[in-house]
Amino acid sequence: MKITLTKQPKQKPDFSKLGFGKYFTDHMLVMDYKDGAWGEPEIVPFEPFEMSPASNVLHYAQGIFEGAKAYKNEKGEITVFRIDDNFIRMNNSATRLCMPTFDAKVVKDALFELLKIEKDWIPTAKGTALYIRPTMIANQPVLGVHASHVYKFFIILSPVGSYYANGLEPTKILVEEKYVRAAIGGTGEAKCMGNYACSLIGGEIANQKGYDQCLWLDAAEHKYVEEVGSMNMFFVIDGVVITPALVGSILPGITRNSCIQVLKKYGYKVEERRISMDEVYDAYKSGKLNESFGSGTAAVISPVGTIGYHGEDMLINNGEMGPITKFLYDKITGIQNRVEPDEFNWVTKVN
Ligand code: COI
């Protein structure tokens, strides 16, 4: 693999004040597709791409991405969490967006080389990681609406802390009742750029009203809980953990799947099914809504303290992190940081 190292390494940020996605490492991985085939991956300095203003991703959003994380322990050992699942999902997203799939093994090996080069950028404090952002864009300068024949795949890396400014403090979420994120048959289950663009308005409305995020409902009836956009949703009702079933319009979250596997193994009752906001509200009114949390690579396990619905704020578990949320947070971050045994075979060593 061709590797070109930067002549101007950047000054690293203060790892105790990272936030999310604000800093980028010195190098990135790039791989180009043309004439019906992917070229070799290459490691190059992190710098702007040159692309035509007519490039089709800029007009028709034929673009997909992933989010994964790498960790480093005090011995300098680098690991990644469930990275194969990210590449499987990315290839599924590629197929949905009429983009070429790629050889996950080739990309994983190249990513591992990049991580070794960037090892000093991996923060080690609790709650921090090196965020991995694989991305694929259509890159043909043509305005006809059809699948591109030219693509660019790249991976950038960003040292991160918690996704939410207030860390693990329970978030406030507003149910969005007018706009929708995705309909069945659409692209909701693909990790494509357009899903995030169309969901911005819900976040803006929620922020204006003093909430952190919005909760999307299904497109057909505006009745069933879907997801938050940056997280999948879970509710604990009368001791049972319920998460919306993957009906086609919801992102099949890797952390969501990790939560389900951990909960089942540890004897919790888990239901993957459609759950309406009315059911959540009734459970709240009858004192049976014990906990709620979101899951995601960036968000990890984020407690939800308040859900705004029909002009009323439902305060969940007194606005505090509940015991099942805490159990999952500790177990999953414990496995990621290798302070808990890797009982599900989710961790891969890089060096
Ligand atoms: C992730 O959790 O990795 C995501 O991609 C969600 C968000 C940051 C866009």
Side-chain angles (χ1 to χ4, degrees):
M1 184 177 45
K2 193 168 165 215
I3 299 176
T4 310
L5 296 181
T6 182
K7 292 191 176 65
Q8 289 167 317
K10 288 179 274 206
Q11 183 161 7
K12 298 199 177 42
D14 179 345
F15 280 4
S16 68
K17 297 193 184 104
L18 287 170
F20 183 82
K22 293 191 285 191
Y23 308 101
F24 301 98
T25 68
D26 287 320
H27 302 90
M28 61 184 173
L29 187 85
V30 289
M31 186 171 80
D32 288 305
Y33 179 97
K34 61 174 190 293
D35 301 328
W38 285 107
E40 292 291 311
E42 228 184 281
I43 291 174
V44 296
F46 180 101
E47 60 192 13
F49 293 133
E50 199 170 284
M51 60 197 288
S52 166
S55 178
N56 28 22
V57 69
L58 301 177
H59 300 270
Y60 306 128
Q62 197 190 4
I64 56 175
F65 67 95
E66 273 300 318
K69 278 179 176 169
Y71 305 84
K72 190 172 69 174
N73 67 9
E74 53 309 324
K75 290 188 218 148
E77 291 168 341
I78 305 167
T79 49
V80 286
F81 183 74
R82 301 195 67 175
I83 193 75
D84 293 330
D85 295 296
N86 285 99
F87 291 137
I88 289 170
R89 186 171 66 184
M90 191 166 188
N91 271 329
N92 290 340
S93 299
T95 301
R96 176 63 180 83
L97 272 281
C98 299
M99 302 172 93
T101 57
F102 56 89
D103 184 334
K105 166 94 177 66
V106 168
V107 169
K108 186 167 84 167
D109 288 349
L111 167 65
F112 284 10
E113 285 311 308
L114 180 65
L115 289 171
K116 285 185 233 170
I117 290 170
E118 303 292 49
K119 61 181 184 315
D120 293 341
W121 283 90
I122 310 177
T124 51
K126 200 167 189 285
T128 65
L130 188 67
Y131 186 75
I132 302 167
R133 174 52 68 86
T135 308
M136 193 199 296
I137 55 172
N139 197 22
Q140 190 180 359
V142 60
L143 295 183
V145 181
H146 55 70
S148 181
H149 294 123
V150 179
Y151 295 89
K152 189 176 275 300
F153 179 104
F154 56 95
I155 300 181
I156 55 172
L157 304 173
S158 172
V160 296
S162 62
Y163 185 68
Y164 294 109
N166 295 333
L168 267 184
E169 222 167 89
T171 51
K172 281 185 80 178
I173 287 181
L174 180 66
V175 178
E176 172 53 53
E177 296 181 62
K178 177 179 171 195
Y179 297 104
V180 292
R181 172 187 172 274
I184 290 176
T187 56
E189 66 184 354
K191 205 159 171 66
C192 68
M193 296 175 177
N195 289 346
Y196 295 81
C198 81
S199 71
L200 295 176
I201 193 159
E204 290 288 308
I205 293 168
N207 291 162
Q208 279 160 19
K209 294 185 176 168
Y211 295 83
D212 301 300
Q213 292 263 345
C214 85
L215 175 58
W216 296 106
L217 300 182
D218 76 286
E221 297 177 72
H222 290 215
K223 189 171 163 190
Y224 296 98
V225 174
E226 297 254 303
E227 60 161 281
V228 164
S230 53
M231 325 190 277
N232 291 110
M233 278 298 286
F234 287 81
F235 303 93
V236 184
I237 297 180
D238 210 10
V240 180
V241 187
I242 304 162
T243 190
L246 300 177
V247 289
S249 49
I250 297 173
L251 187 84
I254 294 165
T255 313
R256 171 190 181 278
N257 175 272
S258 306
C259 291
I260 293 170
Q261 289 197 51
V262 167
L263 288 167
K264 284 188 175 164
K265 178 160 185 190
Y266 283 84
Y268 292 92
K269 193 153 188 277
V270 186
E271 293 178 359
E272 285 181 77
R273 61 170 171 84
R274 297 200 96 184
I275 174 164
S276 70
M277 257 330 285
D278 288 343
E279 180 181 344
V280 174
Y281 184 75
D282 289 347
Y284 167 71
K285 278 288 174 199
S286 60
K288 290 183 176 163
L289 179 57
N290 315 130
E291 298 179 45
S292 177
F293 59 91
S295 69
T297 298
V300 196
I301 308 292
S302 275
V304 174
T306 304
I307 300 180
Y309 181 54
H310 283 169
E312 192 177 334
D313 270 352
M314 298 184 242
L315 187 67
I316 304 165
N317 194 42
N318 283 323
E320 281 165 25
M321 188 189 234
I324 295 180
T325 311
K326 171 98 173 68
F327 164 73
L328 275 174
Y329 178 83
D330 288 345
K331 179 59 90 184
I332 289 177
T333 58
I335 294 172
Q336 290 169 333
N337 291 301
R338 299 171 72 206
V339 294
E340 290 265 351
D342 182 19
E343 51 196 301
F344 300 91
N345 219 2
W346 286 335
V347 173
T348 309
K349 283 192 186 166
V350 171
N351 57 350

mmCIF file of all heavy atoms in Angstrom, residues 20 65-68 131 133 163 191 196 229-230 296-299, ligand 1:
data_model
loop_
_atom_site.group_PDB
_atom_site.id
_atom_site.type_symbol
_atom_site.label_atom_id
_atom_site.label_comp_id
_atom_site.label_asym_id
_atom_site.label_seq_id
_atom_site.Cartn_x
_atom_site.Cartn_y
_atom_site.Cartn_z
ATOM 1 N N PHE A 20 -17.032 16.431 20.274
ATOM 2 C CA PHE A 20 -17.220 15.405 19.243
ATOM 3 C C PHE A 20 -16.911 15.935 17.841
ATOM 4 O O PHE A 20 -17.524 16.923 17.392
ATOM 5 C CB PHE A 20 -18.655 14.863 19.271
ATOM 6 C CG PHE A 20 -18.855 13.766 18.263
ATOM 7 C CD1 PHE A 20 -18.470 12.466 18.555
ATOM 8 C CD2 PHE A 20 -19.363 14.033 17.006
ATOM 9 C CE1 PHE A 20 -18.585 11.446 17.610
ATOM 10 C CE2 PHE A 20 -19.492 13.026 16.047
ATOM 11 C CZ PHE A 20 -19.105 11.729 16.361
ATOM 12 N N PHE A 65 -21.952 6.787 4.743
ATOM 13 C CA PHE A 65 -20.840 6.820 5.699
ATOM 14 C C PHE A 65 -21.086 5.828 6.821
ATOM 15 O O PHE A 65 -22.140 5.192 6.893
ATOM 16 C CB PHE A 65 -20.633 8.252 6.235
ATOM 17 C CG PHE A 65 -21.737 8.779 7.095
ATOM 18 C CD1 PHE A 65 -21.667 8.668 8.472
ATOM 19 C CD2 PHE A 65 -22.848 9.392 6.538
ATOM 20 C CE1 PHE A 65 -22.675 9.162 9.286
ATOM 21 C CE2 PHE A 65 -23.864 9.894 7.341
ATOM 22 C CZ PHE A 65 -23.778 9.773 8.725
ATOM 23 N N GLU A 66 -20.098 5.717 7.680
ATOM 24 C CA GLU A 66 -20.173 4.841 8.851
ATOM 25 C C GLU A 66 -19.565 5.541 10.049
ATOM 26 O O GLU A 66 -18.908 6.580 9.893
ATOM 27 C CB GLU A 66 -19.384 3.535 8.598
ATOM 28 C CG GLU A 66 -20.189 2.451 7.914
ATOM 29 C CD GLU A 66 -21.414 2.033 8.721
ATOM 30 O OE1 GLU A 66 -21.303 1.899 9.951
ATOM 31 O OE2 GLU A 66 -22.494 1.843 8.132
ATOM 32 N N GLY A 67 -19.773 4.993 11.206
ATOM 33 C CA GLY A 67 -19.123 5.507 12.410
ATOM 34 C C GLY A 67 -18.657 4.318 13.237
ATOM 35 O O GLY A 67 -19.441 3.412 13.516
ATOM 36 N N ALA A 68 -17.369 4.305 13.576
ATOM 37 C CA ALA A 68 -16.831 3.224 14.416
ATOM 38 C C ALA A 68 -15.827 3.869 15.369
ATOM 39 O O ALA A 68 -15.580 5.079 15.274
ATOM 40 C CB ALA A 68 -16.161 2.172 13.540
ATOM 41 N N TYR A 131 -12.608 8.279 16.864
ATOM 42 C CA TYR A 131 -13.772 8.009 16.013
ATOM 43 C C TYR A 131 -13.306 7.769 14.583
ATOM 44 O O TYR A 131 -12.465 8.496 14.053
ATOM 45 C CB TYR A 131 -14.715 9.214 16.085
ATOM 46 C CG TYR A 131 -16.036 9.011 15.375
ATOM 47 C CD1 TYR A 131 -17.030 8.217 15.933
ATOM 48 C CD2 TYR A 131 -16.293 9.626 14.158
ATOM 49 C CE1 TYR A 131 -18.245 8.039 15.294
ATOM 50 C CE2 TYR A 131 -17.499 9.454 13.508
ATOM 51 C CZ TYR A 131 -18.478 8.657 14.087
ATOM 52 O OH TYR A 131 -19.680 8.474 13.453
ATOM 53 N N ARG A 133 -14.417 7.465 10.683
ATOM 54 C CA ARG A 133 -15.519 7.852 9.782
ATOM 55 C C ARG A 133 -15.230 7.397 8.338
ATOM 56 O O ARG A 133 -14.664 8.128 7.546
ATOM 57 C CB ARG A 133 -15.712 9.369 9.880
ATOM 58 C CG ARG A 133 -16.712 10.003 8.914
ATOM 59 C CD ARG A 133 -18.074 9.361 8.887
ATOM 60 N NE ARG A 133 -18.903 9.483 10.066
ATOM 61 C CZ ARG A 133 -19.732 10.494 10.367
ATOM 62 N NH1 ARG A 133 -19.816 11.514 9.568
ATOM 63 N NH2 ARG A 133 -20.480 10.455 11.454
ATOM 64 N N TYR A 163 -20.531 12.629 22.849
ATOM 65 C CA TYR A 163 -21.267 13.247 21.737
ATOM 66 C C TYR A 163 -22.071 14.446 22.220
ATOM 67 O O TYR A 163 -22.125 15.485 21.564
ATOM 68 C CB TYR A 163 -22.190 12.193 21.109
ATOM 69 C CG TYR A 163 -22.914 12.694 19.883
ATOM 70 C CD1 TYR A 163 -22.215 12.981 18.716
ATOM 71 C CD2 TYR A 163 -24.285 12.895 19.893
ATOM 72 C CE1 TYR A 163 -22.862 13.453 17.590
ATOM 73 C CE2 TYR A 163 -24.947 13.363 18.766
ATOM 74 C CZ TYR A 163 -24.230 13.642 17.616
ATOM 75 O OH TYR A 163 -24.875 14.117 16.509
ATOM 76 N N LYS A 191 -27.175 4.016 5.832
ATOM 77 C CA LYS A 191 -26.510 5.150 6.485
ATOM 78 C C LYS A 191 -26.078 6.105 5.378
ATOM 79 O O LYS A 191 -24.896 6.172 5.004
ATOM 80 C CB LYS A 191 -25.336 4.663 7.341
ATOM 81 C CG LYS A 191 -25.011 5.621 8.471
ATOM 82 C CD LYS A 191 -24.245 4.939 9.576
ATOM 83 C CE LYS A 191 -23.729 5.934 10.596
ATOM 84 N NZ LYS A 191 -24.756 6.629 11.369
ATOM 85 N N TYR A 196 -29.556 12.291 7.054
ATOM 86 C CA TYR A 196 -29.128 13.232 8.100
ATOM 87 C C TYR A 196 -29.507 14.659 7.709
ATOM 88 O O TYR A 196 -29.909 15.452 8.560
ATOM 89 C CB TYR A 196 -27.624 13.048 8.359
ATOM 90 C CG TYR A 196 -27.378 11.669 8.941
ATOM 91 C CD1 TYR A 196 -27.312 10.539 8.123
ATOM 92 C CD2 TYR A 196 -27.321 11.472 10.311
ATOM 93 C CE1 TYR A 196 -27.170 9.259 8.653
ATOM 94 C CE2 TYR A 196 -27.176 10.205 10.855
ATOM 95 C CZ TYR A 196 -27.103 9.105 10.017
ATOM 96 O OH TYR A 196 -26.976 7.836 10.555
ATOM 97 N N GLY A 229 -32.138 9.601 15.142
ATOM 98 C CA GLY A 229 -31.287 10.133 14.058
ATOM 99 C C GLY A 229 -29.833 9.847 14.373
ATOM 100 O O GLY A 229 -29.133 9.253 13.576
ATOM 101 N N SER A 230 -29.385 10.243 15.564
ATOM 102 C CA SER A 230 -28.027 9.903 15.972
ATOM 103 C C SER A 230 -28.027 8.716 16.941
ATOM 104 O O SER A 230 -26.960 8.293 17.387
ATOM 105 C CB SER A 230 -27.339 11.104 16.618
ATOM 106 O OG SER A 230 -28.147 11.591 17.651
ATOM 107 N N GLY A 296 -25.817 4.386 20.243
ATOM 108 C CA GLY A 296 -25.181 4.710 18.963
ATOM 109 C C GLY A 296 -23.674 4.663 19.142
ATOM 110 O O GLY A 296 -23.193 4.687 20.281
ATOM 111 N N THR A 297 -22.939 4.622 18.047
ATOM 112 C CA THR A 297 -21.475 4.614 18.179
ATOM 113 C C THR A 297 -21.011 5.913 18.817
ATOM 114 O O THR A 297 -20.240 5.903 19.779
ATOM 115 C CB THR A 297 -20.813 4.434 16.799
ATOM 116 O OG1 THR A 297 -21.226 3.164 16.297
ATOM 117 C CG2 THR A 297 -19.306 4.484 16.886
ATOM 118 N N ALA A 298 -21.505 7.033 18.296
ATOM 119 C CA ALA A 298 -21.096 8.324 18.848
ATOM 120 C C ALA A 298 -21.713 8.530 20.231
ATOM 121 O O ALA A 298 -21.045 8.931 21.177
ATOM 122 C CB ALA A 298 -21.512 9.445 17.904
ATOM 123 N N ALA A 299 -23.005 8.237 20.344
ATOM 124 C CA ALA A 299 -23.736 8.514 21.591
ATOM 125 C C ALA A 299 -23.465 7.458 22.666
ATOM 126 O O ALA A 299 -23.788 7.677 23.833
ATOM 127 C CB ALA A 299 -25.231 8.582 21.297
HETATM 128 C C1 COI B 1 -22.519 7.446 14.847
HETATM 129 O O1 COI B 1 -23.040 7.198 15.923
HETATM 130 O O2 COI B 1 -21.389 7.026 14.564
HETATM 131 C C2 COI B 1 -23.210 8.242 13.845
HETATM 132 O O3 COI B 1 -22.855 8.152 12.697
HETATM 133 C C3 COI B 1 -24.291 9.132 14.295
HETATM 134 C C4 COI B 1 -24.049 10.589 14.122
HETATM 135 C C5 COI B 1 -22.807 11.121 14.727
HETATM 136 C C6 COI B 1 -24.262 11.035 12.737
#
